[in-house]
Amino acid sequence: MQLDSGNVVIFIILAFVLGFALILGRNSVPDRLRRGMALIATLLVCFAFFLIVYYLVNMGA
């Protein structure tokens, strides 16, 4: 299965931007949403790291 690299790059950039935005705006996010948004952002950033490693490992193939 081959992934479209353009979509993967966009996802990686957006995942890191979301994490950065949540870190910068953590005081303006309501308490009810803060934990859920932080969990989702953490999962997305971890998946982005996985995709980066996956592409680096499969670069020579």
Side-chain angles (χ1 to χ4, degrees), residues 7-37:
N7 290 337
V8 172
V9 169
I10 291 171
F11 171 77
I12 291 170
I13 292 169
L14 289 177
F16 284 114
V17 167
L18 173 64
F20 187 69
L22 281 177
I23 289 171
L24 287 180
R26 66 182 174 265
N27 294 330
S28 63
V29 177
D31 289 333
R32 287 183 59 184
L33 297 176
R34 189 175 297 159
R35 180 173 290 176
M37 288 178 70

Side-chain angles (χ1 to χ4, degrees), residues 1 3 5 8 10 12-13 19 34 41 45 48 50 52 55 58:
M1 180 177 100
L3 297 174
S5 62
V8 172
I10 291 171
I12 291 170
I13 292 169
R34 189 175 297 159
V45 169
F50 168 76
I52 291 169
Y55 268 92
N58 290 328

